[in-house]
Amino acid sequence: MPLVDSHCHLDGPKFADDIDAVLERAFDAGVRRLLGIGTGDGPPGLDCAIRLAEKYPQMLATVGVHPHEASKVTPQSYEDLRSLGRHPKVVAFGEIGLDYHYDFSPREVQREVFVEQLRIASDLKLPIVIHTREAWTDTMAVLREHWSGQGIMHCFTGTPDQAQEALDLGFHLGFGGVLTFRTAEDVRAAAKLVPDDRLLVETDAPYLAPIPWRGKRNEPSYMVETVRKLAEVRGVTPEHIAAVTTANFERLCATQASISSQRYTEISDGN
Ligand code: NI
């Protein structure tokens, strides 16, 4: 049963030496499609995920400026995002949002860059990938005012109430390694209430490896543990989780790209 890792960062130095082996292990674990997040170290390196996607047929890409890097944005960055966003392997825009935990960029700047990128994603007709940390209320307020399309709450670690709020806004929820952490009762409770057709799985590799690899470099093949836990929490089989999350991703993202369905099938079949 093919799986989709709907969120990973494989472009950095942590994978520079063994990306081929990492993708081979992912394939062996059933991960047949991966969405590489193109935020990199911020502008001007916003094509980092596209470069990987050009090299590896199973990889798709996003573009976007992470809230950490919001203060690096120039008018040129927005121009670059608009043109990179038209690349045939770009199927979503992100990760964008607000991060008040680290505050690497001033909050006012984060909000301004977030809103401007929502405008660009909307023009490009791409779904968005949201990063929000200790900024839930502001993130929701910005989305309510400035967004009417679809999107993914990446690495959802909120409460059941917050999950419901995101679902009411039409969002998909992406669950990662945190779901397996012993203390993540709230996240598991949230994962239980998400309808099948809004569910996604991800690694966020190299971050947030699931148990039993917690604290190690995360990689897409490890996602099987998250899938297993999600199946257990929801009282279904891992195959069911694989089937619904793959169908959801395909509907939300792959159809956005000018990738032929035949090519998608070939990749799913492992050619
Ligand atoms: Ni990420």
Side-chain angles (χ1 to χ4, degrees):
M1 184 59 72
L3 286 163
V4 179
D5 182 349
S6 66
H7 192 115
C8 57
H9 304 258
L10 305 184
D11 55 284
K14 288 192 167 144
F15 291 103
D17 294 334
D18 66 344
I19 176 107
D20 288 298
V22 164
L23 288 173
E24 227 171 274
R25 285 196 291 275
F27 185 88
D28 291 342
V31 181
R32 299 295 149 83
R33 195 172 267 288
L34 305 96
L35 181 56
I37 302 302
T39 46
D41 298 322
L46 300 172
D47 60 341
C48 60
I50 291 177
R51 275 186 274 116
L52 274 188
E54 283 174 340
K55 186 165 176 201
Y56 298 102
Q58 68 272 49
M59 293 212 66
L60 296 166
T62 72
V63 292
V65 177
H66 193 286
H68 288 344
E69 268 82 43
S71 49
K72 294 185 191 169
V73 165
T74 64
Q76 183 61 45
S77 314
Y78 294 133
E79 291 305 307
D80 292 345
L81 288 168
R82 280 184 188 277
S83 71
L84 292 169
R86 293 194 180 88
H87 187 283
K89 292 206 83 172
V90 170
V91 298
F93 199 100
E95 52 186 290
I96 57 175
L98 302 172
D99 191 311
Y100 296 172
H101 177 77
Y102 288 109
D103 280 325
F104 285 152
S105 292
R107 293 178 182 186
E108 202 44 52
V109 176
Q110 289 188 42
R111 283 192 288 267
E112 184 191 311
V113 170
F114 184 21
V115 169
E116 186 57 38
Q117 291 189 98
L118 289 175
R119 208 165 288 147
I120 297 171
S122 174
D123 291 346
L124 293 169
K125 298 188 168 48
L126 289 170
I128 50 174
V129 179
I130 293 294
H131 170 103
T132 177
R133 187 159 182 198
E134 289 172 32
W136 183 263
T137 308
D138 281 10
T139 303
M140 286 295 126
V142 169
L143 289 173
R144 275 200 190 88
E145 191 180 340
H146 298 278
W147 185 249
S148 56
Q150 293 205 293
I152 303 167
M153 288 291 163
H154 133 68
C155 187
F156 185 80
T157 51
T159 64
D161 282 350
Q162 290 172 336
Q164 194 55 57
E165 211 181 333
L167 290 168
D168 290 345
L169 266 186
F171 274 76
H172 288 63
L173 271 61
F175 290 92
V178 172
L179 190 80
T180 69
F181 296 177
R182 204 167 307 125
T183 54
E185 284 306 335
D186 253 8
V187 182
R188 285 188 285 274
K192 219 180 282 187
L193 66 80
V194 178
D196 264 3
D197 64 357
R198 300 288 193 87
L199 204 58
L200 292 168
V201 280
E202 62 168 74
T203 56
D204 204 15
Y207 315 108
L208 296 168
I211 287 172
W213 296 285
R214 189 174 179 179
K216 305 251 163 52
R217 181 189 75 167
N218 196 4
E219 63 168 70
S221 66
Y222 295 174
M223 202 175 67
V224 290
E225 290 304 324
T226 302
V227 170
R228 197 168 297 160
K229 178 57 80 178
L230 192 54
E232 183 191 311
V233 164
R234 293 169 66 86
V236 297
T237 61
E239 289 73 21
H240 180 80
I241 298 293
V244 299
T245 54
T246 296
N248 291 343
F249 182 83
E250 196 175 348
R251 196 181 55 246
L252 182 66
C253 289
T255 51
Q256 305 278 343
S258 47
I259 294 167
S260 75
S261 56
Q262 191 194 347
R263 192 160 153 214
Y264 185 84
T265 310
E266 276 170 21
I267 293 162
S268 302
D269 290 346
N271 294 310

